[in-house]
Amino acid sequence: MTGERQLLSGDEAVALAALHAGVRLGTGYPGTPSTEILETFDQLGGHAQWSPNEKVALEVGLGAAFGGARTLVTMKHVGLNVAADPLFTAAYTDIEGGLIVISADDPGLASSQNEQDNRHYARAAALPMLEPVDSQQAYDFTWLAFEISERWKIPVILRLTTRVCHAKTVVHPRAAVSDTPEPSFARNIPARVMIPAYAKPAHQRLRQKLAEIAAWNDAEGPIRLDTGSADLGIVATGIAAVHAREAAPKASQLTIGLTYPLPLGRIRTFAMGVERLVAIEEGDPILADSLRAAGIPVECKPEMYRFGELNVARVRRILAGDTSPEPVPPKGKPPELCQGCSHRGVFEALRDLGCIVAGDIGCYTLGVLPPFSAMDTCVCMGASIGVGLGLRHVLPEAQARRVVSVIGDSTFVHSGITGIAEMVYNPPATGHVVLILDNGTTAMTGQQEHPGTGRLLDHSPTGKISFEALGRAMGVQNVHVVNAQDKDQSLQDLVESLLTKSETSLVIARQPCVLAAPKIRFYEKAAAERISPSSCAADGAGQ
């Protein structure tokens, strides 16, 4: 594979580069558009694993980097919110092995609950950020990120966006490393134990690192200069740079690869050579604001182009100063719960009971749509339980007793367990009812495994969390398991009875995702054969 031209998505290119660069461990939590990075890395033979959530993934990755191993941590943009706690302090530490944190942003909200621009995290956490424009740069910048990380002993954020993650372009791989140093831990308390006495000088070292990285970026950082007409100069980042080159092929264009800290000297020189300078960037006007703050005169895109993805037509409109209404895109088919989903009945029951439903992230968010219209809130992973409890605490009793929290199995492991702790510790006067809709997979992002499935990223067997045992151990007063296909059990009757109790209740509605069920049966059969290969062989011989 090495050296041969390949057609790869950005996600696949990052995975291949990680393999070639000698990454010892890849960790993360699945989330579109980042999911395929670790899946591909695993398929290529790398050591990849799903963590319960992004915070844990980064903490595991940080430990591996402290041990001298090159490590990759992947997540989508909202996942970085979850990982922010260790991220900000990790910036103060000195790491030995290179550590890359992938932030896969989703401009245009293709599959997310917000459209945040994670370039803000680079400045807020004081970490260098690289932004590739295509799969070749995704591959090259993965290598470069490790080089920067190890040279300055600092984590590096590699920011991808949906188009770069999923679009395929040609990649020319380089030769893989023949060997990497064996991981080994060397004690360095002042660089890794962030109590105030050590954190204060560590903050000063961090700022010195950034100053050195900025100087390096000005002198030899990843910048592409396309010389053209002096009438128009474009400074651009990420996929927007590709659109800009097509929209204005005669313009001069400076494409920035390491977008924090910026190479302000080179940008200033470029700006002096053009009559008009325009910043082309998706999302927030971060580049434009930074240049203006540095005293570089630059035009910012109109506010209307802050929303959604850019494309060639929109860039042409920006350059022309066109703020007329944009064409309304054609309506697509609205999403819906799969017709065969075993948990459609849950939302039918909640609708018929007139419940106030605090919902969560995942397939089940679609319960908000007709014919169910049985979801009233959805904020972030795991929020269903906390939001439901808040409603229970303040609503009049008649309304409070109608509140339920609905959460999926993967989301429960991700961020719901602490919600159960809150429910047990601060129970509302009316009690509360939490429903875990357990379909045996992380369905929304492509049927990945999680700690509640009993299978690893490669689907091999491992330890499994029992939600019902966990609920009982944490002190939930009523714990029930319901099979959605069991005709002898009525979920609606059970929920209705629990709503009348001033007690804490956890209901696990368990039925595999109809799309994942055949695979789950295959994995379970393979696991059984690993445990008892001789008996399986004997059974097969007798058939």
Side-chain angles (χ1 to χ4, degrees), residues 450-515:
H450 61 75
T453 69
R455 294 179 295 275
L456 297 172
L457 184 146
D458 64 359
H459 311 297
S460 60
T462 186
K464 179 179 180 179
I465 292 176
S466 167
F467 300 151
E468 52 269 40
L470 179 63
R472 294 186 183 104
M474 293 181 72
V476 179
Q477 293 164 299
N478 304 294
V479 178
H480 300 269
V481 179
V482 178
N483 186 314
Q485 299 300 317
D486 190 342
K487 303 302 181 183
D488 295 331
Q489 290 179 299
S490 169
L491 176 69
Q492 182 165 332
D493 290 345
L494 174 61
V495 172
E496 187 172 19
S497 68
L498 293 175
L499 291 174
T500 66
K501 296 183 178 182
S502 299
E503 298 175 347
T504 56
S505 301
L506 177 64
V507 177
I508 300 104
R510 181 165 290 145
Q511 186 68 25
C513 167
V514 292
L515 300 178

Side-chain angles (χ1 to χ4, degrees), residues 66 90 92-96 152-153 188 191-192 205 209:
F66 284 160
Y92 281 34
T93 67
D94 283 351
I95 58 175
E96 293 303 318
W152 280 282
K153 298 182 181 294
N188 189 349
R192 300 201 192 108
R205 289 197 304 271
K209 291 177 183 180

Side-chain angles (χ1 to χ4, degrees), residues 164-456:
V164 175
C165 286
H166 291 162
K168 290 180 179 280
T169 62
V170 173
V171 174
H172 296 269
R174 68 175 74 175
V177 293
S178 56
D179 54 42
T180 55
E182 282 297 314
S184 177
F185 183 77
R187 199 176 196 191
N188 189 349
I189 291 174
R192 300 201 192 108
V193 182
M194 289 301 107
I195 60 174
Y198 299 139
K200 290 176 182 178
H203 188 194
Q204 294 180 345
R205 289 197 304 271
L206 171 60
R207 295 300 167 180
Q208 179 59 36
K209 291 177 183 180
L210 284 178
E212 292 175 7
I213 294 170
W216 171 84
N217 198 15
D218 248 334
E220 54 184 300
I223 292 177
R224 171 174 168 172
L225 173 62
D226 294 290
T227 303
S229 170
D231 295 338
L232 174 62
I234 295 173
V235 58
T237 61
I239 191 65
V242 178
H243 300 322
R245 279 199 291 269
E246 184 175 344
K250 295 182 180 180
S252 295
Q253 181 168 326
L254 192 69
T255 302
I256 311 299
L258 183 66
T259 56
Y260 188 81
L262 284 168
L264 291 173
R266 294 174 78 173
I267 297 173
R268 185 172 282 109
T269 300
F270 176 75
M272 293 172 62
V274 297
E275 294 184 16
R276 177 191 177 203
L277 182 65
V278 182
I280 300 297
E281 54 187 322
E282 282 185 333
D284 297 339
I286 296 173
L287 176 60
D289 288 349
S290 297
L291 298 187
R292 288 171 171 174
I296 300 173
V298 62
E299 292 181 27
C300 178
K301 64 186 179 182
E303 181 71 10
M304 62 185 288
Y305 300 105
R306 188 174 193 156
F307 310 100
E309 292 183 292
L310 294 183
N311 54 35
V312 175
R314 297 190 87 200
V315 172
R316 287 182 179 137
R317 287 171 59 95
I318 292 170
L319 295 174
D322 186 352
T323 57
S324 63
E326 295 185 85
V328 178
K331 289 186 177 181
K333 181 181 181 294
E336 62 176 346
L337 281 173
C338 295
Q339 287 298 322
C341 178
S342 59
H343 292 118
R344 290 174 69 93
V346 174
F347 290 102
E348 291 173 351
L350 296 178
R351 176 198 62 200
D352 295 344
L353 289 170
C355 290
I356 299 171
V357 182
D360 226 300
I361 304 297
C363 290
Y364 309 118
T365 313
L366 298 175
V368 70
L369 301 175
F372 312 108
S373 301
M375 187 169 291
D376 296 285
T377 72
C378 179
V379 181
C380 67
M381 297 282 280
S384 60
I385 302 178
V387 169
L389 289 167
L391 288 167
R392 283 264 186 166
H393 280 302
V394 302
L395 290 178
E397 182 176 352
Q399 279 195 314
R401 288 195 178 279
R402 293 166 45 210
V403 177
V404 299
S405 294
V406 175
I407 188 169
D409 48 329
S410 180
T411 308
F412 177 74
V413 175
H414 180 285
S415 296
I417 296 173
T418 49
I420 297 296
E422 168 70 11
M423 180 174 72
V424 171
Y425 185 58
N426 291 309
T430 59
H432 190 45
V433 179
V434 175
L435 282 81
I436 300 176
L437 307 191
D438 184 359
N439 62 9
T441 186
T442 311
M444 180 63 85
T445 56
Q447 303 168 18
Q448 289 77 32
E449 307 293 356
H450 61 75
T453 69
R455 294 179 295 275
L456 297 172

